Amino acid sequence: MKLRSLVLVTVAMLGCTASSQTSHQTETCIQVLKDVAVCDDFWVKVHAVEYLIESGFREDADALIKTGLASFQNEPQKRIGYWRASYLNASHEAEKQGWLDRIKRAYLDTTGPDRIHAAETLAKLSYSFLHFGPNPVQNDQAGGGVLADFVRWGMALPKEPSQPVAYDSLLAAVRSTNQTSRKLAAYALGFIGALPAHQWPVLAQAALDEPDQSEAAAYLLSTAYALAPTPIEKQADVLNRIRQRLLTLQNSDRKADRIELCRALARKGTTDDVSLLLRYLNLENRIETVSDTTKSVHARDHPQNLDVQAAAAYALLQLEKRARSADI
């Protein structure tokens, strides 16, 4: 199925109980992810493959890893994306450990070209940086920049599953004066996927305080919405304010804003959000102010819009999954 000939999926399908209709929507979303995974942009490919993995379509992901990502296994930085996808889709612990070891070596190589990508990936894979000795972690923390932000994330992760996450360090970062640190701390909390209920108000207030024009706003709003405690009760008005601001991002010219909106709806969206996601899925609400310095690309097929389309497909799959479980 070509991207230009996608069958429009109706809003009613999400709540429909007929198995054929449910299957049709699922197949449409899977096909979108498979189409996006063969586009020209490497990291957009990786994202689409990861959405397939997280949605449980591992055989499709495996084929795409082998045909579309494996050729980058010797290319600096991009090879981290290949290793990450391979780790996530590996079936056996020994195989997973092999991919993880490659990523760890890339981070520990202090003269290598992959350190930032490796640090981010290790944190995304929930690998605690407490496993490393004081060097190079301390040097990276002292050096500042995005590497220090990723190291903060890794250091907040517990060394053992029974130990707690060091939420305080990440919550301190969402209140820092550095916009990038606020953004990446919120991003980290979203990946960790949990926050004690008594600490949620700190995140919620940081999200509401963030200026609309800030690049950190989408990340803070998305994570605060996704991690809101259930039931919310006394803070329902705060959550509603966060949701309303989050929904204003649907027409943003920034790809990251739209993707963070999709990520939040994947976690906590309702059937009220399906029409928004379908517009993204069918490339009806596109970012038109796209540019490419190497070639002319129509806005419809630009990697920015394909990345958003893949995020919407993932969100719809997650909403459908929760609808089947009567959670929404």
Side-chain angles (χ1 to χ4, degrees), residues 244-262:
Q244 294 309 310
R245 278 194 61 191
L246 184 63
L247 290 174
T248 66
L249 301 176
Q250 62 186 283
N251 298 315
S252 172
D253 287 337
R254 288 193 294 229
K255 176 187 77 169
D257 290 356
R258 295 181 178 218
I259 289 177
E260 283 303 304
L261 170 58
C262 289

Side-chain angles (χ1 to χ4, degrees), residues 262-304:
C262 289
R263 283 168 52 83
L265 297 181
R267 181 79 178 265
K268 283 281 183 70
T270 72
T271 51
D272 292 340
D273 303 310
V274 174
S275 59
L276 181 162
L277 293 170
L278 288 175
R279 288 195 295 274
Y280 284 167
L281 185 77
N282 294 308
L283 295 172
E284 295 170 351
N285 182 11
R286 300 185 295 273
I287 302 171
E288 298 292 349
T289 55
V290 296
S291 62
D292 195 301
T293 58
T294 60
K295 60 183 177 180
S296 177
V297 180
H298 191 277
R300 179 183 180 90
D301 300 317
H302 194 282
Q304 288 189 41

Side-chain angles (χ1 to χ4, degrees), residues 43-58:
W43 290 106
V44 175
K45 290 176 186 280
V46 171
H47 298 159
V49 168
E50 290 177 332
Y51 291 142
L52 282 168
I53 295 170
E54 191 170 344
S55 299
F57 303 103
R58 303 177 74 88

